[in-house]
């Protein structure tokens, strides 16, 4: 009731759908497990649950927790209409053979996971095996989400190291080459979608953190080929989230920190964030150019 009045007060976009949503999805990763994690989740779902579509178990410590604890977290999310993704919670022990991976999928299903995320960069398996894993996830009745990252050449990243304070550092030329060609990344993602993968996760950190400016050309190429509804971007901060919403409307799918949920929802609801200062005051995160 309070959330509904809040929406009316700030003139939210009428096109913003209620859960479950096919687009404009907001997913949050939960960090490593601690005695406070359950209380944190309860608070998030109680006060922001209407604006959270998915939960990703992002901490390796979850793989060390009893299965009953994992199931308790998943059940809590489901009570609030939030799907749960494996994220990287158990990535380091994902089997590399199809037969063992099938058992892993069944275990995830029994625990209550809705989505299994497969990191193409860290699994270290042939592409055909990766596609077979996608099919195994789908055949078990779960959602499959391949994860890709745009990797920049080391020459694109500023050099670090010990140096005297105020010492002059001569500029070094930067290349525009990528460790992994973007077109190749898109081709792999397209093959996953042909195998009925539900969505492609793109790590946006590489597109923004090590570049002088947001590489909108890369984002445009990815969305243009894969489709807005079929892609989700990991946005590491509010500046990146605002950029995505301004450029691609509130329908863009984002994975964000739980502390940014209300800010991002306000930007989504107020027509790409053009008037979000009306709610929060002057923006502390100017849009990337």
């Amino acid at each position: 009731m309070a959330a509904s009045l809040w929406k009316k007060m700030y003139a939210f976009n009428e096109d913003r759908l209620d859960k479950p949503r096919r687009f404009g999805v907001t997913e949050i990763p939960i960090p490593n497990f601690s005695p406070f994690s359950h209380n944190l989740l309860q608070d998030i779902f109680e006060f922001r649950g209407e604006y959270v579509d998915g939960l990703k178990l992002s901490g390796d410590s979850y793989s060390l927790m009893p299965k009953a604890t994992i199931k308790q977290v998943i059940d809590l999310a489901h009570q609030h209409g939030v799907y749960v993704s494996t994220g990287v919670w158990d990535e380091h022990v994902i089997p590399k053979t199809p037969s063992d991976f099938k058992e892993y999928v069944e275990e995830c299903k029994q625990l209550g996971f809705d989505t299994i995320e497969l990191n193409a960069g860290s699994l270290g398996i042939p592409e055909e095996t990766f596609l077979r894993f996608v099919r195994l996830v789908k055949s078990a009745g779960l959602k499959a989400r391949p994860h890709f990252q745009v990797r920049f050449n080391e020459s694109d990243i500023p050099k670090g190291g010990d140096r005297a304070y105020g010492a002059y550092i001569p500029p070094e030329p930067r290349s525009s080459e990528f460790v992994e060609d973007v077109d190749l990344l898109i081709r792999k993602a397209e093959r996953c979608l042909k195998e009925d993968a539900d969505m492609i996760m793109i790590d946006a950190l590489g597109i923004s953190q090590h570049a002088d400016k947001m590489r909108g050309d890369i984002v445009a190429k990815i969305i243009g080929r894969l489709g807005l509804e079929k892609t989700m971007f990991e946005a590491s901060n509010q500046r990146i989230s605002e950029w995505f919403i301004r450029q691609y409307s509130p329908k863009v799918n984002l994975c964000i920190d739980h502390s940014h949920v209300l800010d991002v929802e306000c930007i989504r609801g107020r027509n790409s964030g053009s008037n979000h200062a009306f709610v929060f005051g002057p923006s502390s995160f100017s849009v990337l150019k």
Side-chain angles (χ1 to χ4, degrees):
M1 181 66 178
S4 177
L5 292 174
W6 185 65
K7 282 186 174 182
K8 292 180 180 179
M9 183 181 299
Y10 295 117
F12 265 65
N13 190 337
E14 294 181 358
D15 293 333
R16 185 72 173 132
L17 302 176
D18 294 328
K19 296 195 303 185
R21 289 179 272 262
R22 293 184 297 105
F23 48 79
V25 172
T26 296
E27 180 175 289
I28 60 172
I30 291 299
N32 285 341
F33 182 85
S34 74
F36 304 103
S37 296
H38 194 270
N39 292 335
L40 172 63
L41 281 176
Q42 284 183 320
D43 290 342
I44 291 172
F45 293 147
E46 182 176 352
F47 296 106
R48 311 169 207 173
E50 184 176 351
Y51 315 118
V52 176
D53 299 275
L55 175 71
K56 175 160 68 172
L57 273 61
S58 60
D60 289 340
S61 63
Y62 279 98
S63 64
L64 304 177
M65 295 295 106
K67 293 181 181 179
T69 303
I70 300 297
K71 196 170 190 316
Q72 185 180 25
V73 172
I74 294 173
D75 290 343
L76 178 62
H78 288 167
Q79 290 170 14
H80 293 270
V82 175
Y83 70 80
V84 184
S85 167
T86 58
V88 295
W89 81 286
D90 209 16
E91 191 172 78
H92 63 287
V93 295
I94 289 182
K96 301 299 190 293
T97 63
S99 59
D100 291 337
F101 181 77
K102 187 175 182 179
E103 294 182 9
Y104 166 78
V105 172
E106 287 300 323
E107 182 178 1
C108 289
K109 185 175 181 178
Q110 291 175 8
L111 287 172
F113 282 104
D114 306 285
T115 300
I116 292 182
E117 190 167 304
L118 300 169
N119 193 319
S122 63
L123 282 178
I125 55 178
E127 185 177 359
E128 294 302 324
T129 303
F130 188 86
L131 294 173
R132 186 173 181 182
F133 281 10
V134 171
R135 293 193 294 269
L136 286 172
V137 172
K138 295 298 297 182
S139 64
L142 300 178
K143 293 184 177 182
R145 184 194 294 159
H147 182 130
F148 294 92
Q149 180 180 12
V150 179
R151 303 174 186 273
F152 279 80
N153 191 294
E154 287 185 359
S155 60
D156 286 319
I157 303 174
K159 297 292 184 181
D162 297 331
R163 57 180 181 269
Y165 177 77
Y168 172 71
I169 303 174
E172 296 187 11
R174 292 186 173 191
S175 75
S176 59
E177 298 177 350
F178 300 107
V179 172
E180 182 175 31
D181 182 73
V182 175
D183 289 318
L184 177 60
L185 180 154
I186 294 174
R187 183 191 65 77
K188 292 179 178 180
E190 286 175 330
R191 292 194 69 189
C192 290
L193 291 176
K194 287 182 180 179
E195 296 293 344
D196 208 22
D198 296 271
M199 190 176 289
I200 304 297
M201 175 71 81
I202 302 293
D203 187 347
L205 189 62
I207 304 174
S208 59
Q209 185 185 41
H210 298 310
D212 292 329
K213 61 181 181 179
M214 191 71 174
R215 291 300 304 268
D217 56 329
I218 297 177
V219 177
K221 181 179 286 190
I222 291 172
I223 291 179
R225 293 269 296 272
L226 303 181
L228 190 62
E229 294 185 20
K230 290 294 185 179
T231 52
M232 176 178 287
F233 293 90
E234 288 187 331
S236 58
N237 58 59
Q238 291 177 333
R239 295 174 66 230
I240 297 176
S241 299
E242 183 176 5
W243 185 90
F244 273 109
I245 296 170
R246 281 184 179 273
Q247 295 295 321
Y248 293 101
S249 83
K251 294 182 179 181
V252 67
N253 304 310
L254 296 173
C255 181
I256 62 174
D257 186 82
H258 66 84
S259 62
H260 301 159
V261 167
L262 292 182
D263 290 358
V264 169
E265 185 64 24
C266 186
I267 298 170
R268 287 189 192 274
R270 295 196 61 81
N271 296 319
S272 301
S274 57
N275 297 317
H276 74 277
F278 174 76
V279 182
F280 293 107
S283 177
S284 60
F285 44 98
S286 59
V287 179
L288 293 167
K289 301 297 184 184

